[in-house]
Amino acid sequence: MKKCAILIFVFLTTFLCITLPCHAQRLNVMSFNIRYQNKQDGNNAWVYRKDNVVYFLNEHHPDVFGLQEVLDEQYIFLCNNLSDYAAVGVGRDDGMRKGEYMPVFFLKNRYKLIDSGTFWLSETPNEVSRGWDAACNRICTWVILKHRKSGKRFLFACTHLDHKGKTSRSNAAILIKQRLESISSGLPIVLVGDFNVSEKSEVYETMCSKPYAFNDTWKVAQKCEGLTYTFNGFGKYDATNGNKIDYIFVSPGMKIKNATIFDSHIAEGRYLSDHNAIWAEIEEY
């Protein structure tokens, strides 16, 4: 009798394991160019925007997000006011605190940092350097994170391509793909950033072409919401003349449930940034 009961238990356990649906690991990610500190921005200077930026990030509460144009004082302020998050980032001009950061923030109670690093978008990516015809030093900061409950790992990277150097942007796109594929060792990849190009550009085509073709979450999402452009110039650009130059790219196989471009407008003449934040809800990775 006891043996029969054990067999029934084993059968039912096996049956449930086979028939019950597996819950896919979801991941909410964001990219946001928050605009560096510039007193010439008047009412949209950082001092007037910073509390609203913190409120915005805490309200939407992404699992992981990458920022662009973050200076050291801004980075410290954000780290001190986003208590749910841990962050990784360095300044592009010395590998420490000088120049703009491309930091990655992640929910520290949900993810464990396994590895991280930064490389320069240049001919010498392992050292502080300026590449090709770029007007500025440019970097890509990456992390490998592990979900504390499921143990699933993925690589998340944040970058900002040059605003002037066409050759720099083209070569940087190739370099980023090669480096991230090597670093990831087969892990899923999420790459976010300000690429300073439209979807019609050579750089965009490079990112979405083989070898290792990324998917643009805006293109493959089951549902897209919000605005259609990401650069607003503090209200100078809108749907009629604004461009989508910020992207969330993911490695093949990821299922995207929702993609959103948020409106940075706060009040008359006031904005969170001269860019609109972008969001993707990854249903499975």
Side-chain angles (χ1 to χ4, degrees):
M1 187 69 181
K2 183 181 292 187
K3 184 177 180 180
C4 182
I6 293 173
L7 289 173
I8 293 172
F9 174 79
V10 171
F11 171 79
L12 289 175
T13 302
T14 304
F15 176 79
L16 288 172
C17 288
I18 294 173
T19 58
L20 285 178
C22 294
H23 295 288
Q25 192 64 56
R26 293 194 176 186
L27 178 64
N28 293 323
V29 298
M30 181 186 286
S31 180
F32 194 14
N33 182 326
I34 65 167
R35 173 73 172 177
Y36 62 90
Q37 300 180 82
N38 189 337
K39 294 179 181 179
Q40 295 180 355
D41 289 338
N43 289 334
N44 283 305
W46 175 247
V47 65
Y48 303 117
R49 296 186 290 113
K50 61 182 185 178
D51 290 334
N52 286 318
V53 169
V54 166
Y55 178 84
F56 171 80
L57 292 170
N58 277 323
E59 179 185 30
H60 291 285
H61 214 242
D63 293 299
V64 191
F65 62 89
L67 304 177
Q68 301 87 44
E69 293 195 19
V70 183
L71 296 178
D72 186 61
E73 184 178 329
Q74 293 172 294
Y75 182 67
I76 293 172
F77 174 80
L78 292 169
C79 288
N80 288 338
N81 288 276
L82 297 169
S83 58
D84 290 345
Y85 292 89
V88 172
V90 298
R92 68 187 184 186
D93 292 337
D94 65 354
M96 292 182 287
R97 300 179 63 178
K98 186 178 179 181
E100 295 176 10
Y101 292 56
M102 306 302 131
V104 176
F105 287 75
F106 58 93
L107 289 172
K108 56 191 177 184
N109 69 338
R110 193 170 298 175
Y111 300 96
K112 179 180 180 180
L113 179 66
I114 301 301
D115 199 2
S116 66
T118 294
F119 58 89
W120 276 257
L121 307 184
S122 74
E123 299 92 328
T124 54
N126 294 326
E127 60 187 56
V128 178
S129 51
R130 184 171 304 182
W132 304 286
D133 59 347
C136 309
N137 292 349
R138 298 292 180 178
I139 58 176
C140 180
T141 293
W142 57 270
V143 298
I144 293 177
L145 301 175
K146 182 176 77 170
H147 191 270
R148 292 186 182 275
K149 288 186 177 180
S150 70
K152 296 192 74 171
R153 300 186 182 201
F154 62 94
L155 185 150
F156 185 100
C158 180
T159 194
H160 188 180
L161 302 194
D162 201 64
H163 62 300
K164 289 186 177 181
K166 184 177 180 180
T167 301
S168 169
R169 289 195 296 268
S170 296
N171 289 336
I174 296 170
L175 174 65
I176 288 170
K177 288 179 67 175
Q178 291 174 341
R179 297 280 291 208
L180 294 186
E181 183 180 10
S182 174
I183 293 168
S184 69
S185 299
L187 292 175
I189 300 173
V190 179
L191 168 64
V192 308
D194 177 353
F195 285 75
N196 270 312
V197 294
S198 73
E199 295 175 2
K200 298 178 181 179
S201 70
E202 177 188 348
V203 168
Y204 183 87
E205 183 178 350
T206 296
M207 297 307 300
C208 299
S209 300
K210 294 181 179 180
Y212 204 89
F214 282 100
N215 286 327
D216 177 358
T217 54
W218 185 258
K219 295 291 187 180
V220 300
Q222 297 173 29
K223 182 180 181 181
C224 292
E225 298 178 307
L227 303 179
T228 57
Y229 62 99
T230 61
F231 182 66
N232 65 64
F234 289 130
K236 294 179 181 178
Y237 301 94
D238 55 25
T240 61
N241 58 1
N243 276 324
K244 180 174 176 287
I245 62 173
D246 302 82
Y247 300 94
I248 298 176
F249 291 111
V250 294
S251 53
M254 288 188 172
K255 295 181 180 179
I256 312 303
K257 182 177 181 181
N258 179 277
T260 304
I261 300 177
F262 295 102
D263 190 347
S264 278
H265 184 255
I266 303 171
E268 185 64 32
R270 297 285 303 278
Y271 292 81
L272 291 172
S273 173
D274 61 346
H275 283 245
N276 302 315
I278 57 176
W279 169 284
E281 181 183 347
I282 301 170
E283 191 170 36
E284 185 177 340
Y285 67 91

